[in-house]
Amino acid sequence: MIDQYVWDLHEVDETQVAVVGGKGAHLGVLSRIEGIRVPAGFCVTTDAFRQIMAQAPSIDDRLDQLSRLNPDDREAIGTLSAEVRRTIEDITIPGDIATAITRALARLGEQAACAVRSSATAEDLPTASFAGQQDTYLNVVGPAAILRHVSRCWASLFTERAVTYRQRNGIDHRTVHMAVVVQQMVFPHAAGVLFTADPVTGNRKVATVDAGFGLGEALVSGLVNPDVFTVRHGEVVARAIAAKQRAVHALPSGGTRDVAIDAQRQRQPALTDAQAVRLVQLGRRIETHFGRPQDIEWCLADDGFQIVQSRPITTLFPIPETGDQENHVYVSVGHQQMMTDPMKPLGLSLWQLTAMVPMHEAGGRLFVDVTRRLASPASRAGLLDLIGRGDPLVRDALETVLDRDGFVPSLPDAGPGGPPAARAPAPIETDPALVTELIERSQATLAALERGIRTKTGPALFDFLLEAFEEHKRILGDPLSLQAIMAGMEATWWLNDKLQEWLGEKNAADTLTLSAPDNITSEMGLALLDVADVIRPQSEVVAFLQGALDGGFLDDGFLDELAKLAGGTEARDAIEAYLDRYGMRCVGEIDITRPRWRERPTALVPVLLDNVRNFGPGAAGRRFEQGQQKAQAKERDVLSRLRALPDGDRKADEAKRMIDRVRTFIGYREYPKYGIVSRYFVYKQALLAEAGRLVQADVLSEKEDIFYLTFPELHDVVHTHQVDDRLIRQRKEAFRSYLALTPPRVLTSDGEAVTGAYRRDDVPAGALTGLPVSAGTVEGRARVILDMADADLEAGDILVTRFTDPSWSPLFVAVAGLVTEVGGLMTHGAVIAREYGLPAVVGVEQATRLIRDGQRIRVHGTDGYVEILP
């Protein structure tokens, strides 16, 4: 160490990020790895930066103003950040700091060409790389120029892009400080970037090398397309050699310029295959040291490769931990449950403890390992058939993995698989009394849970809950319940298959299931229409709710305020009654940590106001009756046409039995989820009460901290009255990072996110392909809504969103069609769309990005595609 302000690069390690920034710390660690060469240099510490900032008190006011700005207000951020940068660059570097820098520079050679590089304390972190957010200056020559560019690096902490990045990632500007790395320049023949995992697919066993002539700046700035080498198992398995017309070279007097490359050299590879393989070997050594895939900047000079930067690749989806070296194939639980957002640790833990099959966590999401079922021919066929009916993209992704020789082992048959197409129905009577019995059973077990948990606190509560979880699984696995669910689904499949075969009609069951009885989720949407009927005549109530919503001062205490208004008591009572029945629901309800409607009733207000505006009195009853009439008319039409066919009486009789079966059981498909979520709310209330006691005992800072602990960890905290605050902070940071990740439908143990395709040739050019789940065609205005609380719908709108779990169903009554990015034939959104007769297409990749809010679109719910209209 030289002094307070300058540290030699070789004396820096990963524990000193606060002193030398993320880049400096990484370079210091890299310089210590055996076999890795890093250009010599030193770090100007964050102490120097703090000294500079202390000389300009006016910066504090500007930082306060910056922190209050919306990240999307680019003009204001640009103006303020430019003022901060100018202020910093105008400060004369104090003598003691300047002396320390020039003394360190003399060790490299006073007139040595150097790279001067920003190194912020919030940079190259495991959860946010901050790549490209601050500045680097190449080929800087002489002490005066070095000092000037050090000031520029300090100022670059406040570039518009860096400020916006921090605000979007929730990072306080005052907590980030800037160090500066000064290194000897390397004048390379070639330079580029190495990814030790495939940045597109995520495959950890595939490395990609981007290479160009001269300095790497040509690649980073997009001046040229690089050569790309793909390396797997020590061998180049693919290469793409680009026409590299330009390169960035250093000038003798300092600075750089781009120059033209001789025509005969443009198509020459920047690296040989052997060099690419050697570079990847070095990258694997770096990756092993840091314990995660790396994005590495490299240079090739006369005497070999030098590494000038390494940072974690933060965009890769994590891999479930298994503890073995076997190949594994995982299917996303979130895509089946229509909730692909990350879950907090307590939510993950409780879902795992109450699930019927083992589930593995990665990136805040849950996955099921289907490797053994794929390995056995019999179970493979059943699994693919069942999954394919629900989500063809998952099936295609699994088949893609199966096509790779040897990835999935071949095992003896593990047992029967899922149901084949049009197989015989499950052995259960078509009897509505069975559904009534199942619902009564569920209500009785919920009441028993509520009675039993009331008096339980402390460790006794956790003992009780562990028993409740076993009862939870027993209810989920109730053979009669499973038979009823499968009976409705299988009858639907039978009708769609046979009526297409016999009558040439696609998805005929969609109309036959309109207004099916006992569907708790569709009833929930209609019930909110009834609440709107109570509110609509109360003009003061409507004005209060609309004004509070528009003004941004609506809070969860609004129900108490209603009683002060004319008609407010009736409105409040109607909302309270709705919450008594459905208040345990919310968006993302499989995660127990998500706020329920009972906890946050404001979530319902936008939808209620839409219903008040868009519907007249009695809409719920009329809608249900119209659905019944359409279903009955469709049944008469289908049976009449069947009887006109050869062997028509037999076909009509079979179809009639299946229609009765569908209408008896398809509504019950939604009830088990309602029961699960009802139990979850009971668990949550008990755990939050326990958290309140921990807060009172000064064990926790706030009740919601328990959301970042697993159930066993929370049990230990209650038992010991001790908590690891650092662990909770780490979990919160990790959760924030997971929000930026997109979970794959299928994930392998190599880290590859496998994307399926529909492989259809019946979709018009330019249309968006998806899965047809509710028949019909509708044209209207697209409303792209990512948060139910932002709903602002008008009659005829088409809802476009990422996913819809049951909590979204109140919106369905107000729209004319549905498009989602996630979903399958039997997921909740599809079932309710059919119940309401909404043309719907699900599984439309990137629908919320490709369709703009307000565009006119046409949804082809029978054929499974969406057209964007001019």
Side-chain angles (χ1 to χ4, degrees), residues 768 780-785 798 800 846-857 868-870:
L768 307 179
R781 180 181 69 160
R783 292 311 316 268
V784 180
I785 298 175
I798 296 170
V800 180
Q846 298 188 36
T848 59
R849 299 179 188 176
L850 297 174
I851 299 172
R852 295 195 309 274
D853 186 54
Q855 278 187 315
R856 289 197 67 78
I857 62 174
I868 301 176
L869 303 176

Side-chain angles (χ1 to χ4, degrees), residues 92 136 227 268 284 340 347 572 653 685 735 787 829:
T92 301
T136 286
D227 297 340
Q268 291 180 6
R284 293 291 180 215
T340 55
R572 183 194 62 191
D653 288 346
Q685 289 173 306
F735 179 77
D787 185 337

Side-chain angles (χ1 to χ4, degrees), residues 62-69 77 80-81 163 167 173:
R62 293 193 180 101
L63 292 185
D64 286 339
Q65 294 174 53
L66 274 175
S67 65
R68 291 193 292 269
L69 291 176
I77 288 176
L80 267 174
S81 59
V163 168
Q167 293 194 200
H173 301 300

Side-chain angles (χ1 to χ4, degrees), residues 502-747:
W502 292 338
L503 300 176
E505 184 171 345
K506 292 181 180 178
N507 302 326
D510 293 357
T511 306
L512 293 166
T513 55
L514 287 170
S515 296
D518 300 312
N519 188 316
I520 188 73
T521 308
S522 63
E523 290 169 6
M524 178 172 67
L526 296 176
L528 204 61
L529 285 175
D530 291 335
V531 177
D533 285 353
V534 175
I535 292 174
R536 190 178 295 105
Q538 315 303 334
S539 57
E540 280 193 38
V541 172
V542 174
F544 167 76
L545 292 175
Q546 190 67 62
L549 187 65
D550 293 344
F553 54 84
L554 185 71
D555 61 39
D556 292 315
F558 78 93
L559 288 171
D560 295 330
E561 296 297 314
L562 291 182
K564 303 172 185 176
L565 305 173
T569 300
E570 294 89 335
R572 183 194 62 191
D573 291 347
I575 296 171
E576 287 283 5
Y578 185 87
L579 292 172
D580 287 343
R581 183 154 173 76
Y582 303 110
M584 76 295 292
R585 310 218 80 152
C586 67
V587 174
E589 61 192 12
I590 68 170
D591 182 354
I592 195 174
T593 71
R594 289 286 190 103
R596 311 284 133 175
W597 290 341
R598 170 54 79 183
E599 297 169 310
R600 190 171 293 172
T602 50
L604 292 172
V605 172
V607 191
L608 260 175
L609 290 171
D610 284 345
N611 289 349
V612 167
R613 184 174 64 251
N614 295 330
F615 296 92
R622 285 195 303 276
R623 183 139 193 172
F624 189 79
E625 185 177 347
Q626 288 166 1
Q628 282 184 318
Q629 291 172 354
K630 287 180 182 178
Q632 290 164 1
K634 185 66 174 179
E635 178 179 335
R636 289 192 297 270
D637 172 64
V638 164
L639 297 179
S640 172
R641 289 158 61 199
L642 287 174
R643 289 193 179 96
L645 298 174
D647 197 19
D649 287 344
R650 178 189 63 82
K651 291 174 180 174
D653 288 346
E654 287 186 16
K656 171 60 175 168
R657 284 196 297 273
M658 288 301 174
I659 291 170
D660 290 346
R661 201 165 178 78
V662 163
R663 293 198 65 80
T664 297
F665 292 117
I666 200 64
Y668 178 72
R669 161 75 178 81
E670 293 293 298
Y671 202 88
K673 182 71 171 287
Y674 175 78
I676 290 170
V677 175
S678 296
R679 293 181 69 90
Y680 264 33
F681 192 39
V682 176
Y683 305 154
K684 181 180 185 178
Q685 289 173 306
L687 290 172
L688 281 176
E690 197 63 37
R693 288 186 279 273
L694 291 171
V695 170
Q696 287 182 332
D698 291 327
V699 177
L700 293 176
S701 298
E702 55 187 18
K703 290 196 297 183
E704 288 73 18
D705 281 350
I706 67 169
F707 296 162
Y708 297 93
L709 299 170
T710 66
F711 184 82
E713 288 168 347
L714 179 54
H715 191 176
D716 288 343
V717 171
V718 169
H719 181 71
T720 63
H721 268 217
Q722 293 182 329
V723 69
D724 185 345
D725 292 327
R726 184 169 169 270
L727 175 65
I728 290 174
R729 286 195 301 273
Q730 288 174 341
R731 295 268 178 83
K732 288 180 178 180
E733 182 181 322
F735 179 77
R736 282 194 295 271
S737 74
Y738 297 153
L739 290 168
L741 298 177
T742 300
R745 283 177 166 83
V746 172
L747 180 68

Side-chain angles (χ1 to χ4, degrees), residues 283-602:
R284 293 291 180 215
R285 190 174 295 181
I286 294 169
E287 177 186 67
T288 299
H289 183 89
F290 287 115
R292 60 183 299 160
Q294 297 287 301
D295 164 359
I296 299 168
E297 295 180 22
W298 56 270
C299 297
L300 177 62
D302 292 330
D303 52 354
F305 288 105
Q306 296 202 49
I307 305 302
V308 295
Q309 187 156 333
S310 180
R311 62 170 71 92
I313 306 175
T314 58
T315 56
L316 298 178
F317 200 86
I319 307 172
E321 295 182 7
T322 59
D324 62 41
Q325 299 301 310
E326 302 296 321
N327 289 343
H328 295 270
V329 183
Y330 303 98
V331 170
S332 164
V333 172
H335 285 81
Q336 311 305 311
Q337 291 293 333
M338 299 295 282
M339 210 292 277
T340 55
D341 289 346
M343 298 167 66
K344 295 185 177 76
L346 187 62
L348 292 165
S349 179
L350 258 75
W351 193 261
Q352 289 172 305
L353 286 167
T354 54
M356 299 300 292
V357 296
M359 293 185 178
H360 306 268
E361 185 273 332
R365 279 80 169 188
L366 291 171
F367 295 84
V368 173
D369 188 341
V370 296
T371 315
R372 291 192 64 83
R373 293 189 69 183
L374 290 175
S376 164
S379 61
R380 177 193 309 148
L383 176 68
L384 291 175
D385 182 71
L386 186 63
I387 282 180
R389 285 183 175 276
D391 188 338
L393 292 177
V394 176
R395 174 172 183 152
D396 188 77
L398 291 175
E399 288 176 333
T400 299
V401 177
L402 286 167
D403 286 343
R404 296 173 184 162
D405 291 340
F407 189 85
V408 176
S410 182
L411 298 174
D413 285 352
R423 80 171 201 175
I428 183 175
E429 297 276 337
T430 302
D431 182 0
L434 292 174
V435 174
T436 302
E437 178 188 343
L438 286 166
I439 291 173
E440 288 174 351
R441 278 193 208 175
S442 178
Q443 291 171 341
T445 59
L446 179 63
L449 172 66
E450 290 173 334
R451 286 193 305 272
I453 207 169
R454 281 177 192 151
T455 59
K456 302 298 188 295
T457 61
L461 170 64
F462 287 82
D463 294 339
F464 177 87
L465 284 172
L466 288 172
E467 292 179 9
F469 297 161
E470 293 306 309
E471 173 69 3
H472 186 120
K473 288 192 282 188
R474 188 198 65 74
I475 294 166
L476 278 180
D478 181 347
L480 182 62
S481 178
L482 295 175
Q483 286 177 316
I485 293 169
M486 290 308 301
M489 293 169 64
E490 289 172 334
T492 302
W493 297 336
W494 189 97
L495 284 167
N496 281 335
D497 290 347
K498 290 299 186 182
L499 295 182
Q500 182 162 8
E501 176 188 338
W502 292 338
L503 300 176
E505 184 171 345
K506 292 181 180 178
N507 302 326
D510 293 357
T511 306
L512 293 166
T513 55
L514 287 170
S515 296
D518 300 312
N519 188 316
I520 188 73
T521 308
S522 63
E523 290 169 6
M524 178 172 67
L526 296 176
L528 204 61
L529 285 175
D530 291 335
V531 177
D533 285 353
V534 175
I535 292 174
R536 190 178 295 105
Q538 315 303 334
S539 57
E540 280 193 38
V541 172
V542 174
F544 167 76
L545 292 175
Q546 190 67 62
L549 187 65
D550 293 344
F553 54 84
L554 185 71
D555 61 39
D556 292 315
F558 78 93
L559 288 171
D560 295 330
E561 296 297 314
L562 291 182
K564 303 172 185 176
L565 305 173
T569 300
E570 294 89 335
R572 183 194 62 191
D573 291 347
I575 296 171
E576 287 283 5
Y578 185 87
L579 292 172
D580 287 343
R581 183 154 173 76
Y582 303 110
M584 76 295 292
R585 310 218 80 152
C586 67
V587 174
E589 61 192 12
I590 68 170
D591 182 354
I592 195 174
T593 71
R594 289 286 190 103
R596 311 284 133 175
W597 290 341
R598 170 54 79 183
E599 297 169 310
R600 190 171 293 172
T602 50

Side-chain angles (χ1 to χ4, degrees), residues 201-284:
T201 68
N203 195 322
R204 284 11 178 225
K205 293 185 178 177
V206 173
T208 62
V209 178
D210 290 3
F213 294 126
L215 293 167
E217 190 66 18
L219 271 60
V220 174
S221 64
L223 184 65
V224 298
N225 291 324
D227 297 340
V228 181
F229 299 84
T230 303
V231 179
R232 184 184 180 105
H233 299 316
E235 176 183 4
V236 174
V237 295
R239 71 184 62 74
I241 306 304
K244 301 172 288 297
Q245 298 175 338
R246 315 289 296 178
V248 174
H249 286 172
L251 296 170
S253 58
T256 62
R257 73 173 179 185
D258 65 275
V259 298
I261 296 176
D262 293 341
Q264 64 268 27
R265 287 190 66 216
Q266 290 178 7
R267 286 283 181 183
Q268 291 180 6
L271 295 178
T272 66
D273 283 6
Q275 287 171 330
V277 170
R278 170 61 182 152
L279 177 60
V280 170
Q281 290 171 342
L282 296 174
R284 293 291 180 215

